[in-house]
Amino acid sequence: MRVAITLEQCWHRVPGGTATAALGCVEALGRLQEPPEMVGISAWHRNLPEEPFEPGIEVAGLRLPRVGLYWSWHEMRRPSVERVAGPVSAIHATGMAVPPRSAPLAVTVNDLAFLRHPDHFTPRGLRFFARSLELTRNDADIVVCPSQHTADDCLRVGIDADRVRLVPYWSDDRLVLPDEADEVRQRFGLADQFVLWVGTAEPRKNLAGLLEAWQLLGRKGQQLVLVGPDGWKSNLGGALAPSDQSIRLLWFVAEADKRALMQAAAAVCYPSLTEGFGLPVLEAMVQGTPVVTSVAGATAEVAGSTGVLVDPTNPQEIADALTGLLNAPDDAARLGKQGRERALAEFTWQRTAEGLMEIYRELAGL
């Protein structure tokens, strides 16, 4: 079985969670005893994307730049992926750029945040996502969702339930050693005890609410550490007072450093307004670090009873949750241990890979 998998998001200025998730799916499939033959599909590029977003499979580039390719796919419904990939049994669009259905088509819908919070997106982004949703509803044989939250949103916008499949993501289960985590903490010059946020700075991540919660805490000798690239409709660097040493902005860090920081953190706080999955929550759980996250949306699904769930629109509630973890290290350690156990039991590469293989077999009529 040969499957074409879109991976253009790996070349985006901010690849973000959709690229990480897509590459995780490719890696999971590659671990199977009998993996499918996979070919990545992208626009035309002279170079591979930077680490950690370099695909681990062959990538065939269509001879159009990204903007032209996305427009042509969405408005002209060409070119087909087979033009560069050759014959395929199935196509898997792992993001919201939907190629023409020249073979049985699966589309991953990570989230429908643009419908819940349209003010968080640019007019161009809203048009793109609206067209993507229209094509998914009309052309996709199967719609893949990483969470029940996203699946429910798909049903609400008219996608038939018999086309929706739930395939959660996974995260590498390697536990960073304490000495390695402490070395990274010291290298970045961080306090012994810190709260970590990881993600792309954009409105739905609710960094304003997190920053307000941190100010309410008024902690001395502890830090809030922010890791990740600047996204859109964000002025994260300008929003921080240079004199406030209790907040550290590290921007983008290497993948290994990110995992070490998660292991070193007293807690990871991820109070997004909405998420389709929330990989940072799962990554923190793998490291045995307690998580504060939103009671609404997919992150609550991921954390389950092992997370401290809060109303993301209530900074005082976020502050109180963090206070509870920082003041009760034994309780925090218990939640962290339970979180790791849940991550290793529920969010495995096998579950992701087998779920996708079942979809590909269905598309191919096998």
Side-chain angles (χ1 to χ4, degrees), residues 215 236-245 247:
Q215 296 302 331
L236 183 54
L240 302 180
S243 60
D244 189 352
Q245 295 302 305
I247 302 176

Side-chain angles (χ1 to χ4, degrees), residues 61-268:
L62 288 154
R63 298 190 66 85
L64 283 170
R66 178 187 308 129
V67 173
L69 179 62
Y70 284 0
W71 181 87
S72 187
W73 273 356
H74 281 191
E75 303 305 325
M76 306 295 290
R77 302 306 285 147
R78 65 173 190 259
S80 71
V81 301
E82 287 95 333
R83 178 172 292 188
V84 290
V88 296
S89 306
I91 301 167
H92 183 183
T94 59
M96 294 294 275
V98 183
R101 187 190 175 281
S102 50
L105 174 66
V107 177
T108 291
V109 176
N110 284 295
D111 63 70
L112 292 176
F114 78 99
L115 295 179
R116 290 179 174 270
H117 299 281
D119 55 311
H120 292 175
F121 295 84
T122 65
R124 179 179 175 182
L126 288 172
R127 290 192 298 271
F128 175 81
F129 288 125
R131 179 61 173 158
S132 297
L133 178 56
E134 179 184 13
L135 292 172
T136 299
R137 193 161 39 211
N138 293 341
D139 292 359
D141 297 284
I142 292 177
V143 177
V144 188
C145 300
S147 65
Q148 189 60 52
H149 175 73
T150 297
D152 290 343
D153 277 354
C154 287
L155 298 182
R156 275 191 283 270
V157 297
I159 295 174
D160 298 333
D162 62 0
R163 290 194 287 153
V164 176
R165 304 289 186 277
L166 177 60
V167 182
Y169 294 133
W170 68 289
S171 180
D172 190 336
D173 62 3
R174 187 181 80 86
L175 185 64
V176 176
L177 297 175
D179 287 349
E180 181 184 348
D182 196 52
E183 183 278 323
V184 172
R185 180 191 63 78
Q186 293 184 51
R187 174 154 45 87
F188 283 107
L190 303 180
D192 289 345
Q193 193 176 45
F194 66 91
V195 172
L196 180 67
W197 174 89
V198 174
T200 299
E202 55 171 297
R204 69 182 168 122
K205 302 300 182 181
N206 193 32
L207 277 169
L210 174 57
L211 293 173
E212 184 177 346
W214 185 254
Q215 296 302 331
L216 290 171
L217 258 69
R219 308 292 290 200
K220 295 182 182 286
Q222 297 166 334
Q223 290 177 321
L224 172 64
V225 178
L226 309 176
V227 170
D230 213 6
W232 52 93
K233 288 197 171 185
S234 167
N235 182 28
L236 183 54
L240 302 180
S243 60
D244 189 352
Q245 295 302 305
S246 75
I247 302 176
R248 288 288 309 277
L249 177 57
L250 302 185
W251 298 111
F252 184 83
V253 302
E255 185 68 17
D257 287 347
K258 182 190 77 173
R259 293 179 186 274
L261 290 170
M262 285 185 163
Q263 215 283 334
V268 167

Side-chain angles (χ1 to χ4, degrees), residues 302-313:
V302 176
S305 62
T306 72
V308 182
L309 305 182
V310 297
D311 176 358
T313 66

